[in-house]
Amino acid sequence: MTTEGERATAAVPAGPARTARRAMVGRLSWGLADQAASSMSNFAVGIYVARSLGVTAFGVFSLAWVTYGVVLNVSRGLATDPLVVRFSGPPDVSWRGAVARSSGTALGVGTAVGAVCLAAGLALGGRVGPAFACLGVMLPGLLLQDAWRFSFFAAGAGRKAFVNDLVWGVALVPAMVVAAHVGTVAAFVSAWGASAAVAAAYGCLQSGIRPRPGGARGWLREQRDLGYRYLVENVSLSGASQLRAYGLGALVGVGAVGAVRGAELLLGPFLAVLMGLSLVTVPEASRVLRQAPHRLGAFCLLLGGGQAAGALLWGGALLLMPDRLGELALGAVWHSAAELVVPITLGVAGAGLGTGAAAGLRALGAARRSLRCQLFASACYVGGGLGGAAAAGTVGSAWGVAAATVSGSAVWWLQLRSALREHHHDTIREVRTP
């Protein structure tokens, strides 16, 4: 026996369904193009810095990069993740107001945490201090640029996000050349952040919206049911990476952090896509949930499986790469990074599979379930990474992280299955209720 909802779904004409699929493919295509631009920029920065600085100084740069990742996830959890979940659709008055407050919140997070990083960097001194001081100055622009990308994808305007990332990439070229002449980690951090600030300013012109930091308190209050859970979830993810990096540096040495980052750079396109998947997948999963909820599970499986398969294929190609090409790409970092390709590939594949389930839980608004998954995965990540480092150095840490990532992915999918079952039962009850 079919329910009214099922009959309504079956009655949808084929023409509108095809139009909706074409629109989704178009949005995903712009998402892939944007991620390609972002991936190439991140990859180019990493390669250029690795070749210019050597393994130890590159390790210091990597610590600043990982710290930026933590702050970025604080901003996303409080500012832009709730925007994507609740304001994905054609731009209107409510969307513009939400974007102004959301981007203002991101700018406020960057300013507040940036001041802390600046003070900490000045107090630390040595090799690490100047890099963190410069990161603190650049954080507001970095976070605002990311907020514009989320805003554009929430509106289905992926082309604008792609153009914004292109602007960042173009601005990076002269900035990196200047940094290479200076030859310090702080100069490279400044060049990276200054070029992001250029793209952030251009985002204001693209959107025609001025960020409203004064609206941050109201935004946080309105979105507290999602925002604070997403904050904990996101920070547990990036915080685990930071703890692993700091712990690896303490147990094995800063050079080990550079080796891990070098191996991750070889898988850079997939890692960058994984970091920014929520730009594309959560809005699309939300649309699938509204238009054809019975297809959400298949959509998430296709998304996660495609990511995992792509990572495995790329990792296989890296194993066939001659040492000469590796040295050309990473310089002195290559030999220590090459030993980590297999475990890091498996870890990225596991993470890719899990992102499909994570997008589904975000679309369902199952913040409690996704928080439990992320806390479990983060605990496994830190335990596996540091336990492996204590047992077998850098290689052991990479294998520990790979095992932890695959285990975490399994938990994500178990939670998505339960959430889909609950949603299906709730929908049937709503249909049957007069």
Side-chain angles (χ1 to χ4, degrees), residues 318-332:
L318 289 176
L319 293 175
L320 302 175
M321 186 168 69
D323 287 342
R324 184 175 59 183
L325 290 180
E327 292 171 357
L328 182 64
L330 294 179

Side-chain angles (χ1 to χ4, degrees), residues 47-295:
I47 293 296
Y48 196 70
V49 175
R51 288 184 57 82
S52 301
L53 297 180
V55 67
T56 301
F58 184 58
V60 175
F61 180 86
S62 299
L63 290 177
W65 184 287
V66 170
T67 303
Y68 156 71
V70 176
V71 183
L72 177 66
N73 279 301
V74 171
S75 174
R76 287 181 176 181
L78 293 176
T80 50
D81 282 346
L83 175 77
V84 169
V85 171
R86 288 185 167 151
F87 293 91
S88 288
D92 55 17
V93 175
S94 64
W95 177 86
R96 293 182 66 85
V99 168
R101 289 177 293 152
S102 173
S103 58
T105 302
L107 194 58
V109 170
T111 302
V113 181
V116 174
C117 286
L118 175 61
L122 293 176
L124 283 172
R127 283 177 173 266
V128 178
F132 275 78
C134 292
L135 176 66
V137 174
M138 298 301 166
L139 272 175
L142 284 162
L143 298 190
L144 182 58
Q145 192 275 338
D146 186 74
W148 290 131
R149 296 174 69 213
F150 270 79
S151 302
F152 293 142
F153 276 108
R159 180 180 60 83
K160 290 185 177 181
F162 171 72
V163 172
N164 194 274
D165 268 326
L166 281 184
V167 169
W168 188 2
V170 171
L172 264 172
V173 176
M176 283 290 155
V177 171
V178 173
H181 282 294
V182 178
T184 64
V185 177
F188 279 105
V189 173
S190 299
W192 168 52
S195 56
V198 172
Y202 182 63
C204 296
L205 296 177
Q206 286 179 291
S207 63
I209 298 173
R210 180 180 297 177
R212 286 176 48 203
R217 180 176 297 180
W219 175 260
L220 294 175
R221 184 174 58 251
E222 294 168 12
Q223 310 301 328
R224 63 182 179 273
D225 58 327
L226 292 181
Y228 292 116
R229 283 197 174 101
Y230 289 157
L231 169 65
V232 175
E233 181 181 330
N234 290 354
V235 170
S236 69
L237 170 64
S238 53
S241 298
Q242 189 174 27
L243 286 174
R244 187 256 184 133
Y246 289 167
L248 185 61
L251 291 170
V252 185
V254 177
V257 181
V260 170
R261 177 61 186 154
E264 290 174 348
L265 277 175
L266 296 174
L267 284 138
F270 293 98
L271 288 170
V273 168
L274 289 178
M275 287 179 63
L277 261 178
S278 57
L279 293 172
V280 185
T281 57
V282 175
E284 291 307 322
S286 298
R287 291 184 179 96
V288 171
L289 180 63
R290 288 194 300 267
Q291 298 169 5
H294 61 286
R295 295 178 181 169

Side-chain angles (χ1 to χ4, degrees), residues 267 270 308-321 341-342 345-346:
L267 284 138
F270 293 98
L312 291 174
L313 288 173
W314 186 270
L318 289 176
L319 293 175
L320 302 175
M321 186 168 69
V341 168
V342 173
T345 296
L346 294 176

Side-chain angles (χ1 to χ4, degrees), residues 362-417:
R362 286 284 176 96
L364 290 165
R368 187 172 298 175
R369 287 186 179 275
S370 62
L371 176 59
R372 285 200 298 263
C373 291
Q374 191 56 68
L375 290 175
F376 173 82
S378 298
C380 289
Y381 184 94
V382 174
L386 297 186
T394 310
V395 175
S397 179
W399 278 108
V401 165
T405 305
V406 173
S407 300
S409 179
V411 172
W412 278 105
W413 278 101
L414 288 173
Q415 289 294 321
L416 177 62
R417 187 176 68 172

Side-chain angles (χ1 to χ4, degrees), residues 10-33:
V12 175
R18 283 195 296 269
T19 301
R21 281 196 296 271
R22 283 197 297 269
M24 182 178 71
V25 170
R27 289 189 296 268
L28 287 174
S29 297
W30 279 116
L32 290 173

